[in-house]
Amino acid sequence: MNIRVVSAIALLCLVWGSLWGLVKHSLQVFPPFLFISTRLILAALTLMLIQRILKKSILPQHHEWKSLIILSLLICFGFYATQTFAMQFVGSGLSAVLVFTMPIFIAVLAHYFLNEKLNTQKILGLILGTLGLIAILWPQLHHVHMNMSLLGQVLLIGSGFFWALSTVYIKKNFAAYDKIKLTIWQLLLGGSLMFVMALLFEPVDAQVWLNPLNESALFYIAVVGTGFAFVLWNWIVSQVDTFVASISIMCIPILSLFFGALIWREALTLNILIGAAFICLGIVMSSLKMKVQKNRLAYAGNQQR
C-alpha cells in the first residue's frame, strides 16, 4: 500500500475509533431513528455542498439509480439502522468489536463475488473469529434465555454482515465512481426514507435538538464520522483488495474498547477481552495469506527460470 492509502487508513481508524462512545452517548439523548436519519442526511448535504464547490456533478445518471438505491438500503437500513437500535442495549466498545467482525464476512463474500479466493489460512481465521464471538456471547449463551443485550449483540453482528455486503457491492459496481458523489447518495436515499418513518413514530423535542452541546456532537458524528469517514472508506476500498481494506481497520474496535473504558467507564470483562483477542487474531491470520502466497508464487517463478 502507498503512503496515501496508509495515511487514509490511519486517519479513518482514529475517527471511527473515537466515534462509538459518542454515538452511544447521543442515543441516550436523541430518539434513535431520528438521530441516525438526521446524521445521514446532514452528512450527505455537507458532501453535496463540497461537491458543488468542487464544481463536480451531483445527480446520478438514469441507469445508476437502481444500483444506488440498493446500496443505500444496505448501508442505511442493513448497517446503520440495525446498529443504532442494537447500541441502545450494548456498550460502545463491545458494539465496535461485534460490528468489526465485518472482515470475516468479507472473506466469504469476496470469495464468491470478487474472485478473492478463500484459502486455508482465511478459513482458520474464520474459525478463530467464530471462537471470539462465542467468547463474547458466552454469558448469554451459558444461561440460554433471550434478553435485549443478547438480541443487541446478534443484531450488531448482522450489522457487520450488511457492511461487508455493501462493501463488496461497492467494489463490484462502483470501483471507478466518484467517491463523494457515491457517498452522498448512499446516505441520502435511505436516510430520507428513514427520517420520514421516524417522524411518524418518534417524538420531536426542540430543546434536545437546539442544545449547543448536542448539536456539536451531532455535527461531529454526521460530518466527520459519517460523511468524511465514508468517503475515505469508499476510496480505500477502491484502491486495494476489499479484504486488505477491511483488515487494515481492525484496530478500530480495540480503540473503541479503550475509549469506552477510559471515557465512558464501560466495563472490560474477561470474556470481552478474550473474544476481542480471538477476533483480531482471526482477522490477522486471514490476512497473512496475502504476503505468504505472493512470496511462494514469486519463488516458484524464479525456480522455473
Side-chain angles (χ1 to χ4, degrees), residues 6-264:
V6 172
S7 299
I9 289 169
L11 183 56
L12 184 64
C13 288
L14 182 61
V15 170
W16 272 348
S18 65
L19 196 67
W20 290 82
L22 193 57
V23 171
K24 176 71 175 179
H25 171 75
S26 297
L27 288 174
Q28 299 171 0
V29 177
F30 297 105
F33 292 102
L34 274 175
F35 164 72
I36 189 62
S37 57
T38 303
R39 168 188 178 182
L40 297 174
I41 293 170
L42 182 58
L45 293 179
T46 303
L47 292 176
M48 195 175 289
L49 177 61
I50 292 173
Q51 193 77 335
R52 175 61 66 184
I53 292 172
L54 295 174
K55 297 181 179 179
K56 294 184 178 180
S57 67
I58 295 176
L59 288 177
Q61 297 180 21
H62 179 74
H63 68 275
E64 297 170 343
W65 282 107
K66 181 179 178 181
S67 296
L68 286 169
I69 289 171
I70 293 172
L71 174 61
S72 188
L73 292 177
L74 288 174
I75 286 289
C76 295
F77 287 89
F79 174 58
Y80 273 120
T82 302
Q83 176 193 129
T84 299
F85 176 79
M87 282 188 69
Q88 297 176 86
F89 314 106
V90 183
S92 63
L94 178 54
S95 296
V97 170
L98 294 173
V99 170
F100 277 87
T101 54
M102 175 268 290
I104 297 173
F105 293 119
I106 276 187
V108 178
L109 293 170
H111 172 80
Y112 289 104
F113 298 105
L114 297 177
N115 200 32
E116 297 175 11
K117 296 302 180 183
L118 184 63
N119 66 4
T120 302
Q121 284 189 279
K122 280 189 177 181
I123 292 172
L124 179 58
L126 293 176
I127 293 172
L128 289 171
T130 301
L131 290 175
L133 291 177
I134 292 173
I136 290 172
L137 296 174
W138 183 249
Q140 286 79 17
L141 296 175
H142 185 65
H143 299 289
V144 192
H145 66 277
M146 178 59 70
N147 56 47
M148 293 309 294
S149 178
L150 176 60
L151 176 61
Q153 291 173 34
V154 172
L155 288 175
L156 286 165
I157 295 170
S159 177
F161 169 77
F162 278 105
W163 186 12
L165 191 61
S166 65
T167 299
V168 171
Y169 192 82
I170 288 172
K171 185 75 171 185
K172 193 172 181 65
N173 296 280
F174 295 100
Y177 203 78
D178 183 315
K179 297 306 175 290
I180 296 179
K181 185 177 177 179
L182 172 64
T183 308
I184 289 171
W185 295 105
Q186 77 177 46
L187 300 179
L188 187 59
L189 294 172
S192 299
L193 177 60
M194 194 188 306
F195 182 76
V196 173
M197 296 171 63
L199 284 176
L200 297 175
F201 298 103
E202 291 184 336
V204 178
D205 186 345
Q207 291 184 343
V208 170
W209 293 94
L210 296 178
N211 181 292
L213 185 61
N214 295 343
E215 288 179 340
S216 299
L218 179 60
F219 179 84
Y220 176 77
I221 292 169
V223 176
V224 180
T226 306
F228 171 73
F230 251 98
V231 170
L232 265 186
W233 171 246
N234 290 336
W235 180 79
I236 291 168
V237 169
S238 72
Q239 298 298 305
V240 296
D241 182 283
T242 51
F243 193 71
V244 172
S246 63
I247 289 297
S248 66
I249 58 173
M250 59 168 287
C251 66
I252 291 175
I254 307 302
L255 288 172
S256 297
L257 285 168
F258 172 76
F259 283 123
L262 183 66
I263 300 174
W264 308 106

